[in-house]
Amino acid sequence: MGAPLYLITLAALSSRRSLNEFPLSLLPTSLSGETMSTFLQSTGILGGLLNSLTIGLSTVALSLLIGLPAGYAMARYAFKGRDPYQLALLLTRALPIVVLSVPLARIFLDTGLYDTTYGVTLLHTALALPTTILITSAIFLGVSREQEEAAMIFGASPLAAFARVVVPQALPGIAASAMFTFVLSWNEVLGASILTLNRRTLPAQVLATLADSPLAFRFAGGLALVVPALIFIAVARRYLLNMWGTTLR
């Protein structure tokens, strides 16, 4: 995993002249900010970066807002059809986005959501919700029900017990879900390319200009796509004690 990251970073931070040398050096011998500067000043790049951050963070917030109560209900309550419901959640990921692209584009055009960050946020939320619900339900199963009941005995409402007792202990699973959701939204390119024209995300913008771009632009684009996701993971990992919630602190 580190090798391609290193090579992309090295190429993006090297001068254009050094990229055409043969053989290429594996050491940073001619560092330059010219490539990244040119990339960031290209038309649509900063706007695409802002759109990607807005959509990614909005997708995380909306997925957790819907997915946390659903995961809690699946972990705490035994209701008829719970197992088929869990299977149905996974089956929603069986449909490739390319199959849904034309119907989605038509719906978004009819509802006025085409070429908006709101529309792409809804699409990414729908793609991330199954995993969000399953991860959070797994983490809630590891939280002691007795502690939650004890909080309610001492006067806390069910909502207060959930917020003050359950959520703090479920932070590892919530962090895991947030990380997965943000990376999924950040890397998703096909849906964003089809459903937007002037408000494209950074991956969609890079994809649209990739064929006509020089080699240096492509390396700079690769680095620009990787760094924000790595920063988000670095921030969220402090809450990540165990990915699937088997160990709680």
Side-chain angles (χ1 to χ4, degrees):
M1 292 179 62
L5 290 178
Y6 172 76
L7 294 176
I8 289 175
T9 303
L10 179 63
L13 299 181
S14 298
S15 63
R16 296 190 180 185
R17 179 180 179 181
S18 64
L19 292 178
N20 297 322
E21 294 178 354
F22 183 84
L24 294 175
S25 174
L26 296 178
L27 298 176
T29 56
S30 56
L31 296 180
S32 172
E34 176 188 4
T35 299
M36 285 301 302
S37 176
T38 303
F39 172 79
L40 293 176
Q41 293 174 8
S42 300
T43 303
I45 295 301
L46 290 181
L49 176 61
L50 181 60
N51 290 335
S52 287
L53 290 174
T54 302
I55 292 171
L57 296 177
S58 300
T59 301
V60 170
L62 189 58
S63 296
L64 292 179
L65 183 65
I66 301 173
L68 282 181
Y72 180 80
M74 289 182 58
R76 285 288 189 262
Y77 302 104
F79 54 90
K80 186 176 181 180
R82 183 172 65 174
D83 292 339
Y85 175 70
Q86 290 178 324
L87 181 61
L89 285 175
L90 291 176
L91 288 178
T92 59
R93 297 303 305 272
L95 290 174
I97 187 64
V98 66
V99 176
L100 303 175
S101 58
V102 175
L104 282 174
R106 180 59 186 269
I107 292 173
F108 280 27
L109 284 169
D110 292 341
T111 57
L113 289 175
Y114 186 81
D115 199 21
T116 63
T117 55
Y118 308 109
V120 182
T121 298
L122 291 176
L123 170 63
H124 291 179
T125 300
L127 294 176
L129 265 180
T131 308
T132 301
I133 294 173
L134 293 177
I135 290 179
T136 53
S137 67
I139 196 76
F140 286 139
L141 285 173
V143 178
S144 173
R145 184 192 295 265
E146 288 75 15
Q147 296 182 19
E148 187 178 359
E149 293 174 347
M152 289 187 286
I153 290 174
F154 283 101
S157 65
L159 183 60
F162 173 78
R164 297 181 181 180
V165 177
V166 178
V167 170
Q169 297 186 68
L171 280 179
I174 295 175
S177 175
M179 288 167 54
F180 179 86
T181 300
F182 183 83
V183 172
L184 182 148
S185 174
W186 183 267
N187 291 334
E188 201 283 322
V189 60
L190 182 59
S193 299
I194 295 173
L195 300 178
T196 57
L197 185 61
N198 298 314
R199 295 181 177 271
R200 284 179 170 167
T201 61
L202 183 59
Q205 184 66 30
V206 171
L207 179 65
T209 58
L210 202 59
D212 302 324
S213 302
L215 186 62
F217 181 93
R218 302 179 188 184
F219 284 122
L223 181 61
L225 291 175
V226 169
V227 169
L230 292 179
I231 293 175
F232 182 85
I233 292 174
V235 173
R237 70 181 294 273
R238 58 179 297 189
Y239 302 107
L240 191 59
L241 304 179
N242 186 281
M243 178 63 76
W244 298 107
T246 56
T247 302
L248 292 175
R249 181 170 67 184

